[in-house]
Amino acid sequence: MSIDFIKSVYYEILSYFVPEKIDYKIEGSCNKCGKCCKEIRCYGLKNEKEFKLMQFFFPHYKRFFIHKIDNEGNLVLTCKYLDDDGLCSVYDKRPKLCRNYPRRTISFNAEMIDGCGFKIIKKEFKDYLK
């Protein structure tokens, strides 16, 4: 079990209890492209065994399958409930994880998929000095 996996579990647990810390601003809106459901980056999850553990401890992960591994060795997941148009077929019953996307938590990596309707406005050091 890698330290990155342990961090992922730790951050997942914190996301339920720790108030949001916002160091950036998210602008835009969903353009219903479905890319966020097809390319779910799991920073810290490196193999199928770690993914199975996440599914055991956090059942909402059971709705995803491993799509590929990114250039940094992290798993990229895809939702099982996408329809032919790439949209959620169980939209009214989607979990909190999906309803809150994009989420601003301590563990958020502050990146959006190319073509997403949301964009990240990152704060620079000089912004804090103002």
Side-chain angles (χ1 to χ4, degrees):
M1 206 176 303
S2 72
I3 191 73
D4 288 333
F5 173 72
I6 293 168
K7 284 182 184 178
S8 291
V9 171
Y10 174 72
Y11 290 139
E12 183 71 24
I13 292 168
L14 277 183
S15 73
Y16 290 95
F17 302 104
V18 178
E20 293 184 7
K21 177 183 176 186
I22 301 172
D23 293 325
Y24 49 85
K25 183 178 177 186
I26 296 177
E27 292 182 348
S29 61
C30 181
N31 61 12
K32 296 180 178 40
C33 67
K35 291 180 181 181
C36 57
C37 304
K38 294 175 194 164
E39 297 278 326
I40 303 162
R41 305 269 184 233
C42 289
Y43 298 98
L45 289 181
K46 302 288 187 180
N47 58 52
E48 187 173 353
K49 182 179 176 183
E50 293 175 349
F51 178 60
K52 294 289 184 194
L53 281 171
M54 289 297 276
Q55 288 178 317
F56 177 76
F57 289 113
F58 306 102
H60 58 268
Y61 276 84
K62 290 180 181 177
R63 71 185 300 113
F64 306 115
F65 63 90
I66 299 171
H67 174 68
K68 63 182 180 179
I69 297 175
D70 69 12
N71 295 336
E72 298 169 10
N74 298 298
L75 297 182
V76 178
L77 308 178
T78 297
C79 182
K80 295 176 183 177
Y81 296 105
L82 295 179
D83 63 18
D84 293 337
D85 295 326
L87 301 176
C88 185
S89 63
V90 292
Y91 188 80
D92 293 337
K93 296 177 182 146
R94 69 195 191 285
K96 186 176 180 183
L97 169 80
C98 301
R99 285 192 312 267
N100 291 342
Y101 182 83
R103 189 171 167 184
R104 299 176 198 126
T105 64
I106 287 173
S107 60
F108 193 78
N109 203 11
E111 290 181 14
M112 289 292 168
I113 298 168
D114 289 337
C116 178
F118 293 103
K119 68 179 182 177
I120 302 280
I121 309 299
K122 296 180 183 179
K123 284 189 173 182
E124 302 287 332
F125 182 70
K126 62 185 175 186
D127 296 327
Y128 290 102
L129 296 175
K130 291 180 182 177

